[in-house]
Amino acid sequence: MPAAEAVVGAEESRWTGAPIVVLGIGADGWDGLGAAARAAIGECEVVFGSPRQLDLLPASAAERVTWPSPLLPALPALFAQHAEHRIGVLASGDPMFYGIGATLARRFGAEALRVFPQPSSASLACARLGWPLAEIPVVSVVARPLPTVLPELADGRRVLVLSEDERTPAQLATLLRDNGFGASTLTVLEQLGGPAEHRRTGTAATWAHPQGDPLNIVAIACVADPGARRDTRLPGLADTAFTGDGQLTKSEVRALTVTALAPAPGELLWDVGGGSGSVAIEWCRTHPRCRAVTFERLPARREQIAANAAALGVPGITIRGEVRSEFAEREFSAPDAIFLGGGLTQDGVFDQCWQRLRPGGRLVANAVTAESEAQLLDWAARHGGTLRKFQIYRGEPLGGFTAWRPHLPVAQWIVRKPAG
């Protein structure tokens, strides 16, 4: 998720040319388009699309331009080059559903577009399977890491995955098998809505189908293996979900911490003193659009954060070094929330973070030593906020009995930066 890292300018820029026709086209091609859509694309002087999409159009005088790769960096120059022409853009199905239409709307504004949608692959898949579309999560792994599917998995849940290509179904079966969902049923729906529509079904653990059509969507009916660890989007994953050197915010404290940080979709967290990455990972798991930058001094721990993030389905977390050194070397987008889990007694860490926190943003700091707790008291006296302290006891065997083993008490400071 590169947007979580550096400061960038506003993405939207004014489009002064004729409205851009963004046409959704299904596997049924030209025959599946309505009269208005056909007329709009017929008026275009240049049409962008993939080779497969462009081949679906009838012969015309319009110049046909295949999308370059990588696409996003090339978009500004590509559209500037053809700004004097009437431009058409082809998309698969609904252009606003994980499609180029949403990208163009962010860049040029909605008023610059004329969008003609077709049914999305998700709509068609639910129609074929009898699934209620409004209740089915959809995960795209097109140009995205496959593990992003993991946070959506739960026993009895149904999920749709937009495939990258013909290799995705087998890769997805392996991912499910390796993460406690081998008994899940996979249904691969290819070329939906077209004459070559085809379906293949099997379980993740025994998937043996050969590669099929690259244009496919995978439906998962999730079945958890007996004894599989239960990982939900709610904060407080089991400590065993994370690997590392023991530098870990324990499950109960982590749940209280992430709740205090109060993540909302699309928000950005800075996790200072990342350790195993547990707080940043739990933040990002609460919603697919949540983002995080974690700052960790030790290289071995940075590697461990990356491994934990991938294993728990949020591989897009940005991982950086010691926070003060990073601030000296580069600019970062202002975060919506900051967690100080380390470096509380280091000179300047709090002040630099507080200065960079956006107005109205939240900061949560945890302390386990007397020295760091004294810092929390001092900061609270200056900035207000809420102080609380808690201690967790866990029942552990003691001979033939059970004893309550105390963990270190944790002091926590929660504060919101004034909006003015």
Side-chain angles (χ1 to χ4, degrees):
M1 301 181 185
E5 186 179 335
V7 171
V8 294
E11 188 175 351
E12 185 173 323
S13 58
R14 181 175 175 81
W15 177 254
T16 57
I20 301 167
V21 173
V22 185
L23 177 68
I25 189 166
D28 51 356
W30 187 254
D31 292 340
L33 300 177
R38 291 185 182 186
I41 200 70
E43 294 172 356
C44 293
E45 299 167 295
V46 58
V47 180
F48 302 141
S50 69
R52 180 188 64 81
Q53 293 163 345
L54 292 170
D55 286 345
L56 296 173
L57 298 182
S60 71
E63 179 184 358
R64 303 186 182 199
V65 179
T66 301
W67 291 123
S69 181
L71 172 60
L72 292 183
L75 278 180
L78 189 64
F79 276 80
Q81 178 185 349
H82 296 280
E84 301 302 318
H85 299 95
R86 293 191 297 275
I87 295 176
V89 172
L90 299 183
S92 295
D94 186 344
M96 309 305 292
F97 184 75
Y98 291 98
I100 188 66
T103 301
L104 296 178
R106 285 193 298 267
R107 177 161 295 279
F108 299 123
E111 66 281 357
L113 310 180
R114 292 179 63 202
V115 181
F116 296 85
Q118 287 284 93
S120 69
S121 57
S123 294
L124 292 170
C126 285
R128 301 296 187 268
L129 298 170
W131 289 7
L133 178 61
E135 300 175 13
I136 306 299
V138 181
V139 183
S140 174
V141 296
V142 179
R144 295 176 173 88
L146 192 69
T148 54
V149 175
L150 292 174
E152 298 293 349
L153 303 179
D155 188 48
R157 200 175 194 205
R158 295 179 290 191
V159 180
L160 291 175
V161 179
L162 305 181
S163 291
E164 170 80 21
D165 53 32
E166 67 276 9
R167 297 169 297 176
T168 301
Q171 294 170 345
L172 187 58
T174 300
L175 182 76
L176 293 170
R177 184 193 65 215
D178 292 347
N179 285 274
F181 285 88
S184 301
T185 299
L186 274 63
T187 302
V188 181
L189 301 121
E190 302 172 348
Q191 289 285 338
L192 278 169
E197 182 173 319
H198 182 66
R199 178 189 303 195
R200 293 176 291 147
T201 300
T203 61
T206 60
W207 189 263
H209 291 285
Q211 292 182 1
D213 195 282
L215 187 64
N216 72 82
I217 184 171
V218 183
I220 308 172
C222 299
V223 178
D225 298 341
R229 191 181 66 225
R230 185 176 173 85
D231 295 339
T232 75
R233 286 196 178 275
L234 294 178
L237 293 176
D239 294 341
T240 54
F242 302 90
T243 59
D245 59 4
Q247 188 66 23
L248 172 71
T249 302
K250 296 299 189 288
S251 174
E252 300 89 348
V253 176
R254 195 182 332 119
L256 291 166
T257 299
V258 176
T259 301
L261 288 165
E267 287 191 326
L268 170 64
L269 170 73
W270 284 359
D271 179 8
V272 180
S276 64
S278 61
V279 171
I281 288 169
E282 294 259 35
W283 166 282
C284 288
R285 282 178 59 91
T286 61
H287 193 274
R289 291 183 55 232
C290 283
R291 301 164 293 138
V293 180
T294 183
F295 298 91
E296 172 52 54
R297 177 175 58 89
L298 298 177
R301 287 182 181 167
R302 293 198 293 270
E303 293 177 4
Q304 196 59 63
I305 291 171
N308 284 331
L312 290 166
V314 287
I317 290 174
T318 299
I319 304 169
R320 290 297 180 189
E322 197 274 329
V323 64
R324 291 172 299 179
S325 300
E326 292 290 340
F327 286 164
E329 294 176 3
R330 55 174 55 85
E331 294 292 329
F332 291 85
S333 300
D336 301 285
I338 297 176
F339 172 58
L340 293 181
L344 273 69
T345 59
Q346 295 177 7
D347 289 341
V349 169
F350 167 74
D351 290 332
Q352 291 186 55
C353 288
W354 184 254
Q355 179 184 2
R356 289 167 170 81
L357 180 65
R358 72 162 177 83
R362 295 92 60 201
L363 184 144
V364 175
N366 288 355
V368 295
T369 67
E371 291 79 7
S372 56
E373 185 174 326
Q375 288 283 14
L376 297 192
L377 294 171
D378 178 60
W379 295 334
R382 284 190 281 151
H383 299 285
T386 300
L387 285 164
R388 60 184 184 178
K389 193 170 187 177
F390 36 80
Q391 185 169 22
I392 303 301
Y393 291 77
R394 290 183 180 176
E396 297 181 5
L398 181 62
F401 299 91
T402 300
W404 293 106
R405 298 287 188 188
H407 288 215
L408 288 173
V410 177
Q412 186 174 85
W413 178 46
I414 306 166
V415 64
R416 182 181 294 272
K417 187 174 182 179

